[in-house]
Amino acid sequence: IELKSGILNVFLRTGAVFTQVDLWLGLSYCDGKWNEVTVSKEGSVISATMNELREQALEPRVQQLAVNSPVYVGGIPPEIQSFYRELGLEQGFGGCMKDVKFTRGAVVNLASVSSSAVRVNLDGCLSTDSAVNCRGNDSILVYRGKEQSVYESALQPFTEYLYRVVALNEGGSVSSVWTHARTRESVPQNVPTPSRVHSINGYSIEVTWDKPAGVIGVIEKYILKAYEADGPTVPITSTELADAGMLTGVLTGLHPFTNYAVTLTACTLAGCTESLHALNISTPQEAPEDVQSPTAISFPTFLLMSWSPPKTPNGIITQYTLYMNGIPIYSGNGTKYVVK
């Protein structure tokens, strides 16, 4: 299936039978709106439809079509193009697709089911003003002169543009083929505050967030950071999440019974942006660590036992228990006891 020079071409080869359907569209699809394309094979009838326009071909010799190979959308990999030389394949598809269906199946989400993608913006269309991007006689003059390089500004981020050079002398002018170039992404803007933080235990939390709106480009990774609520501006711990499709992550390395401020950072290849505000959470208490051994001051008939609080209490100490020869002899919240 190919859209070229205002014509939707459908090529079907089954065995030795080659069928072609050509649906003339002109520039009717350059209206800034979505267009619905349907290609079907019903028996010996192959048809192509776009919106209200339809064309079909009858080929009695066509065989039953059984698809048992990968489906390529927008182009095919270079390593297999040699097998389809008769199609005259050119540059891949430039534009936007949504709601892809095969027969009567469910709608296919290309971003989630694709095994590989090249030069694809999985965030969808960048602009609703697609009418100015159609391949008509709509090119503009960027530069005129004798230099062999030019710097063009005021372009849109993460947008593909087509360029060609026209060389002119007294004998006439010749145009080069079109070549394409894509501008880089922009740094994410308006990164949201995490929407939900849930404590797994005293040392780790689960963070949930919404996808940043208005990101022009592909998000490469998210970073979760935890700051002590009343501490320095340097994060206590952080974690990077390379799967940008996930909107939930686990942040570890925290301390029990501590107040934290949690932020979200979104990154494209152009840079990273951290959310302006944080979501606060208090981690729960855990069992104390580094409990100190007791010390004794000796007297003729008794011992004065004392001990210091644990180096890492992990919460509020509510009770100490003192053992002598494996038998508890004291329980309470004090730090001294006389053994008579």
Side-chain angles (χ1 to χ4, degrees):
I1 306 173
E2 188 175 57
L3 180 60
K4 179 181 177 182
S5 301
I7 300 176
L8 180 66
N9 306 116
V10 179
F11 307 98
L12 177 63
R13 184 175 66 184
T14 57
V17 180
F18 186 86
T19 309
Q20 178 173 342
V21 178
D22 300 323
L23 176 60
W24 185 85
L25 303 171
L27 292 178
S28 62
Y29 55 90
C30 293
D31 56 1
K33 301 178 181 179
W34 285 100
N35 300 276
E36 183 173 351
V37 177
T38 303
V39 176
S40 65
K41 174 186 174 297
E42 299 180 7
S44 58
V45 178
I46 299 92
S47 64
T49 304
M50 177 179 281
N51 301 332
E52 303 300 326
L53 302 175
R54 187 176 189 274
E55 189 65 58
Q56 68 179 38
L58 179 63
E59 178 51 74
R61 299 174 300 163
V62 71
Q63 302 176 15
Q64 184 176 358
L65 180 63
V67 179
N68 57 3
S69 65
V71 176
Y72 300 102
V73 179
I76 64 175
E79 59 268 19
I80 67 172
Q81 289 188 7
S82 60
F83 298 103
Y84 304 96
R85 289 195 178 99
E86 72 276 8
L87 297 181
L89 294 169
E90 299 184 7
Q91 293 288 348
F93 174 76
C96 312
M97 294 185 186
K98 71 173 183 176
D99 299 344
V100 177
K101 286 185 179 181
F102 296 98
T103 63
R104 291 180 294 275
V107 173
V108 176
N109 185 343
L110 296 177
S112 61
V113 303
S114 59
S115 59
S116 63
V118 179
R119 296 195 308 273
V120 174
N121 172 25
L122 298 180
D123 291 339
C125 285
L126 302 181
S127 171
T128 57
D129 188 14
S130 60
V132 299
N133 297 323
C134 287
R135 303 284 202 274
N137 186 21
D138 57 356
S139 60
I140 61 174
L141 181 63
V142 176
Y143 169 77
R144 183 191 299 272
K146 296 182 179 181
E147 299 293 333
Q148 291 182 282
S149 64
V150 63
Y151 177 81
E152 186 180 9
S153 59
L155 300 178
Q156 295 296 319
F158 201 63
T159 302
E160 192 169 82
Y161 292 91
L162 292 176
Y163 293 91
R164 70 176 176 182
V165 174
V166 179
L168 176 67
N169 61 18
E170 293 181 357
S173 62
V174 176
S175 300
S176 71
V177 297
W178 289 98
T179 185
H180 55 85
R182 180 183 289 277
T183 52
R184 291 187 57 184
E185 301 98 323
S186 63
V187 176
Q189 304 293 326
N190 303 321
V191 176
T193 304
S195 57
R196 180 176 177 271
V197 179
H198 168 69
S199 294
I200 300 176
N201 50 45
Y203 306 96
S204 58
I205 58 176
E206 183 183 70
V207 185
T208 304
W209 62 92
D210 297 323
K211 185 176 180 179
V215 174
I216 303 179
V218 177
I219 295 178
E220 295 290 323
K221 63 181 178 181
Y222 291 107
I223 303 176
L224 297 175
K225 298 180 182 180
Y227 302 82
E228 285 194 7
D230 299 324
T233 57
V234 178
I236 298 298
T237 183
S238 64
T239 184
E240 293 189 5
L241 305 168
D243 185 359
M246 296 291 293
L247 299 178
T248 299
V250 175
L251 187 58
T252 59
L254 304 176
H255 302 299
F257 200 57
T258 306
N259 297 325
Y260 288 101
V262 181
T263 65
L264 172 69
T265 300
C267 299
T268 65
L269 291 178
C272 301
T273 301
E274 188 174 9
S275 57
L276 294 176
H277 304 286
L279 192 61
N280 296 324
I281 185 174
S282 297
T283 52
Q285 301 184 64
E286 294 284 349
E289 300 177 70
D290 299 327
V291 178
Q292 305 300 296
S293 300
T295 60
I297 300 177
S298 301
F299 294 90
T301 58
F302 64 92
L303 296 173
L304 176 59
M305 309 298 300
S306 62
W307 54 91
S308 300
K311 290 185 177 180
T312 310
N314 289 337
I316 299 175
I317 303 298
T318 58
Q319 179 178 295
Y320 294 103
T321 302
L322 181 67
Y323 289 82
M324 184 174 70
N325 297 328
I327 300 174
I329 59 173
Y330 169 76
S331 290
N333 56 10
T335 58
K336 293 181 180 181
Y337 183 69
V338 176
V339 182
K340 299 179 181 180

